[in-house]
């Protein structure tokens, strides 16, 4: 029997996943953040960038060899098909890098490894997780949070929400659901309670 567990942490945009991730990290879990892995993959001259430029145009790479994120986003999110292509190209790199970092955590005798990944299901990384935790919240609440957090219009917030999996999908495919329709402190308390439970069953 293995001595560690991999937890997949995901959820809808604006639901409060980052708060739960912080709670787990502060309480000793090894948290690996998918967005930070992507940032590593976008380093100048990386294989990942070369593949993206072949698909989305060489001009997404700036003269200093870094990625023009805005230009990539405009092209990759122009259609659902293009968005899917971006995912298909990036997800294998992200998963490979996650496994490498997870190995390092296991070598350091970490018992709880959390993969904080907004696209956990889309990347099919859920198959390597022992438990999946999803954070959900009512759509109107999430919309307000996104608009405030990212300083974007209601229309843009709606498009981000509509691009994600439905709440029912998260609920049907997760082992634990934390609903975040209240205060930040309420969510922190729920996360701490869940973490305490998980430490008992591991």
């Amino acid at each position: 029997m293995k001595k560690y567990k991999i937890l997949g942490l995901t959820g809808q945009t604006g639901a409060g996943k980052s708060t739960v991730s912080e709670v787990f990290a502060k309480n000793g879990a090894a948290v690996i953040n998918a967005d930070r892995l992507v940032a590593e993959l976008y380093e100048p001259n990386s294989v990942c960038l070369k593949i993206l430029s072949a698909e989305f145009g060489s001009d997404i790479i700036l003269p200093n060899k870094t990625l023009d994120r805005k230009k990539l986003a405009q092209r990759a999110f122009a259609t659902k098909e293009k968005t899917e292509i971006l995912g298909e190209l990036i997800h294998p790199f992200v998963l490979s890098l996650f496994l490498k970092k997870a190995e390092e955590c296991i070598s350091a005798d970490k018992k709880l490894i959390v993969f904080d990944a907004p696209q956990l299901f889309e990347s099919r990384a859920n198959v390597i997780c022992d438990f999946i935790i999803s954070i959900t919240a009512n759509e109107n609440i999430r919309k307000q949070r996104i608009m405030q957090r990212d300083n974007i219009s209601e229309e843009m917030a709606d498009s981000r929400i509509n691009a994600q999996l439905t709440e029912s999908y998260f609920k049907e495919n997760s082992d634990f659901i934390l609903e975040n329709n209240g205060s930040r402190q309420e969510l922190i308390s729920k996360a701490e309670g869940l973490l305490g439970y998980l430490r008992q069953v591991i």
Side-chain angles (χ1 to χ4, degrees):
M1 186 176 172
K2 65 182 185 180
K3 297 177 181 177
Y4 64 90
K5 296 289 183 188
I6 295 177
L7 308 183
L9 176 61
T10 190
Q12 300 161 297
T13 181
K17 183 174 59 62
S18 297
T19 299
V20 176
S21 185
E22 284 172 21
V23 170
F24 280 29
K26 282 178 183 174
N27 285 278
V31 176
I32 300 171
N33 183 289
D35 290 337
R36 292 194 190 123
L37 297 185
V38 171
E40 282 190 44
L41 293 169
Y42 285 172
E43 287 178 358
N45 296 315
S46 67
V47 174
C48 185
L49 275 196
K50 288 172 183 174
I51 289 173
L52 290 180
S53 66
E55 176 64 40
F56 294 102
S58 59
D59 59 334
I60 66 166
I61 309 298
L62 294 165
N64 64 1
K65 306 295 185 185
T66 61
L67 176 68
D68 186 334
R69 289 169 180 266
K70 192 172 182 181
K71 194 169 280 185
L72 174 63
Q74 285 171 345
R75 292 176 188 174
F77 301 124
T79 66
K80 190 176 180 183
E81 289 74 23
K82 287 287 186 184
T83 305
E84 287 174 358
I85 289 170
L86 177 65
E88 287 167 7
L89 293 175
I90 289 178
H91 291 151
F93 283 99
V94 174
L95 191 53
S96 176
L97 191 52
F98 166 75
L99 292 171
K100 180 185 172 187
K101 290 186 181 292
E103 284 288 343
E104 293 169 3
C105 294
I106 294 162
S107 297
D109 205 29
K110 289 288 186 179
K111 301 290 187 288
L112 212 54
I113 300 164
V114 179
F115 190 22
D116 177 349
Q119 292 200 310
L120 186 79
F121 294 113
E122 294 91 333
S123 65
R124 294 184 275 284
N126 55 301
V127 300
I128 63 169
C129 298
D130 296 290
F131 299 107
I132 295 172
I133 304 160
S134 285
I135 319 304
T136 63
N138 291 342
E139 187 173 315
N140 285 337
I141 292 174
R142 288 191 293 117
K143 187 191 293 187
Q144 292 305 314
R145 286 175 184 157
I146 297 164
M147 289 166 64
Q148 194 169 23
R149 181 191 71 195
D150 299 337
N151 193 26
I152 58 174
S153 66
E154 185 172 357
E155 185 182 10
M156 198 171 280
D158 281 332
S159 69
R160 287 192 191 179
I161 288 169
N162 294 334
Q164 287 198 305
L165 297 168
T166 62
E167 184 172 324
S168 60
Y169 185 94
F170 284 101
K171 288 185 173 179
E172 288 163 14
N173 292 279
S174 302
D175 299 292
F176 303 98
I177 297 288
L178 295 182
E179 289 191 345
N180 180 26
N181 294 317
S183 68
R184 175 181 162 84
Q185 189 53 51
E186 285 173 329
L187 180 60
I188 289 171
S189 297
K190 287 180 181 180
E192 289 173 340
L194 177 56
L195 183 57
Y197 169 76
L198 288 169
R199 286 215 160 108
Q200 289 177 343
V201 301
I202 289 172

